[in-house]
Amino acid sequence: AGPVVRLRDVRGARIRGSRAGAGTRMWLRVEGARSRDIGLNGNDFRQAERAYEADATVPGGVVSLSGGS
């Protein structure tokens, strides 16, 4: 199964107050060299194997996590 959310070449996104259900493999996948400034704030990813991953084209440090688990 794929990610719950997939973002491609997205700039300035904020995802707040989301929860990964039991058995979630990956919650978010970020793709594309134009992706920038993606924030995950106050989410509960404890049930996910991985909160997120970025493909090889995404610049480092694009995704920030804060205030969640």
Side-chain angles (χ1 to χ4, degrees), residues 1-68:
V4 174
V5 176
R6 182 181 313 257
L7 300 177
R8 181 176 192 88
D9 292 321
V10 171
R11 288 169 274 182
R14 295 291 175 268
I15 299 173
R16 296 182 179 121
S18 294
R19 179 180 298 168
T24 300
R25 295 183 74 200
M26 182 188 338
W27 198 85
L28 170 67
R29 178 167 169 85
V30 179
E31 303 170 344
R34 293 181 297 217
S35 295
R36 298 277 185 283
D37 189 27
I38 296 170
L40 303 175
N41 311 104
N43 299 288
D44 181 353
F45 296 132
R46 291 177 290 180
Q47 297 290 323
E49 288 180 30
R50 297 183 71 181
Y52 75 92
E53 77 172 16
D55 76 14
T57 66
V58 175
V62 165
V63 178
S64 64
L65 293 166
S66 66

